[in-house]
């Protein structure tokens, strides 16, 4: 009949829905919605990988780099660390200056120069600028008026990760400080000019460390971003 013929033609028309698969705009809408679920799954996969990587490091994911805002506690932390390094510099500087009054041979001056270059790179650049100073500034900028009282009072020790840090980081910090003290004690027993030659390198390394800490802190305040360094905070 004519009615059934029209119904048959409408089902054969791809622009009309008769219970079959979607066509036209409906198909485009369904296809555009499909990648969104894939993007969500991919994002969850990235988050899972980040959590696994942080777990392998033995800690928990540190907070994202906050906006660098100075507080009394952060200022005290950076100032205290700088004074601590400066006290070590003050102890070895007079001995390092002795060759300028007592003189050295050509080989002695060559060793003096090489000592300063070695300590500038190994202690100053690699030790302080690349590792220690960013850690100090990063942890110092975590301190504010809402931080625990002990963290604020002992801000320099907190910034150097002597406490409230991962076990691995605390071990590294204590070994570093112990090594510095043992080095100073050993150098005191050396005769001239060997002690002066090595003290010259120590002076350069400590000066580099003080300068790097202050510069990184001021740069963070000027740019408004803390250095991209792991604060090594302990787990909950």
């Amino acid at each position: 009949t004519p009615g059934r013929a029209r119904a048959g033609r409408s089902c054969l028309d791809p622009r009309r829905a008769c219970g079959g698969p979607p066509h036209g705009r409906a198909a485009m809408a369904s296809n555009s919605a499909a990648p969104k679920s894939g993007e969500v799954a991919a994002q969850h996969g990235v988050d899972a990988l980040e959590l696994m990587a942080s777990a392998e490091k033995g800690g928990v994911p540190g907070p994202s780099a906050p906006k660098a805002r100075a507080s009394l506690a952060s200022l005290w932390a950076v100032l205290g660390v700088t004074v601590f390094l400066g006290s070590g510099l003050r102890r070895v500087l007079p001995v390092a200056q002795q060759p300028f009054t007592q003189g050295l041979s050509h080989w002695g001056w060559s060793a003096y120069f090489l000592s300063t270059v070695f300590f500038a790179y190994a202690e100053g650049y690699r030790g302080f600028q690349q590792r220690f100073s960013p850690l100090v500034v990063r942890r110092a900028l975590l301190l504010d008026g809402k931080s625990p009282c002990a963290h604020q009072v002992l801000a320099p020790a907190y910034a150097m990760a002597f406490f409230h840090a991962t076990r691995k980081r605390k071990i590294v910090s204590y070994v570093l400080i112990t090594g510095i003290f043992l080095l100073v004690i050993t150098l005191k027993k050396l005769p001239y000019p060997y002690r002066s030659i090595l003290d010259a390198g120590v002076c350069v390394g400590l000066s580099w460390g003080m300068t790097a800490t202050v510069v990184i802190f001021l740069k963070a305040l000027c740019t408004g971003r803390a250095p991209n360094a792991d604060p090594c905070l302990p787990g909950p």
Side-chain angles (χ1 to χ4, degrees):
T1 62
R4 292 182 179 179
R6 285 195 298 270
R9 287 196 299 270
S10 65
C11 289
L12 294 176
D13 191 350
R15 294 174 297 179
R16 300 189 181 185
C18 291
H23 300 281
R25 295 183 179 179
M28 294 175 61
S30 61
N31 292 334
S32 62
K36 293 183 179 180
S37 60
E39 294 176 0
V40 173
Q43 183 62 38
H44 284 302
V46 172
D47 296 339
L49 290 175
E50 292 179 352
L51 291 174
M52 292 173 62
S54 62
E56 291 178 356
K57 294 180 179 179
V60 296
S64 58
K67 292 183 178 179
R69 296 179 180 177
S71 64
L72 290 178
S74 63
L75 291 174
W76 162 228
V78 175
L79 177 62
V81 173
T82 305
V83 171
F84 175 76
L85 298 177
S87 64
L89 175 63
R90 180 179 58 83
R91 294 175 184 272
V92 298
L93 182 59
V95 180
Q97 293 176 330
Q98 288 181 359
F100 294 97
T101 56
Q102 300 184 19
L104 284 174
S105 64
H106 294 294
W107 290 106
W109 282 116
S110 299
Y112 193 93
F113 173 75
L114 291 177
S115 175
T116 58
V117 172
F118 172 78
F119 277 89
Y121 175 76
E123 182 182 7
Y125 177 73
R126 292 293 301 275
F128 282 107
Q129 183 175 337
Q130 295 293 315
R131 300 176 183 177
F132 183 78
S133 297
L135 170 71
V136 167
V137 175
R138 179 72 170 86
R139 288 176 63 91
L141 291 173
L142 295 177
L143 297 171
D144 53 26
K146 299 179 182 179
S147 301
C149 183
H151 294 183
Q152 298 184 54
V153 174
L154 302 175
Y158 174 87
M160 291 187 286
F162 286 145
F163 68 95
H164 195 68
T166 61
R167 182 173 179 269
K168 180 180 178 180
R169 181 63 247 185
K170 287 189 291 186
I171 292 175
V172 172
S173 297
Y174 281 105
V175 169
L176 175 64
I177 297 302
T178 303
I180 292 176
F181 278 113
L182 292 177
L183 178 62
V184 172
I185 294 174
T186 303
L187 292 179
K188 286 184 177 181
K189 299 179 179 180
L190 294 178
Y192 180 85
Y194 306 106
R195 180 183 174 185
S196 298
I197 291 173
L198 293 177
D199 278 351
V202 174
C203 286
V204 172
L206 291 175
S207 301
W208 195 305
M210 294 170 57
T211 304
T213 302
V214 174
V215 169
I216 292 174
F217 181 67
L218 294 178
K219 180 181 178 181
L221 296 182
C222 292
T223 59
R225 293 190 60 82
N228 186 21
D230 183 8
C232 298
L233 297 177

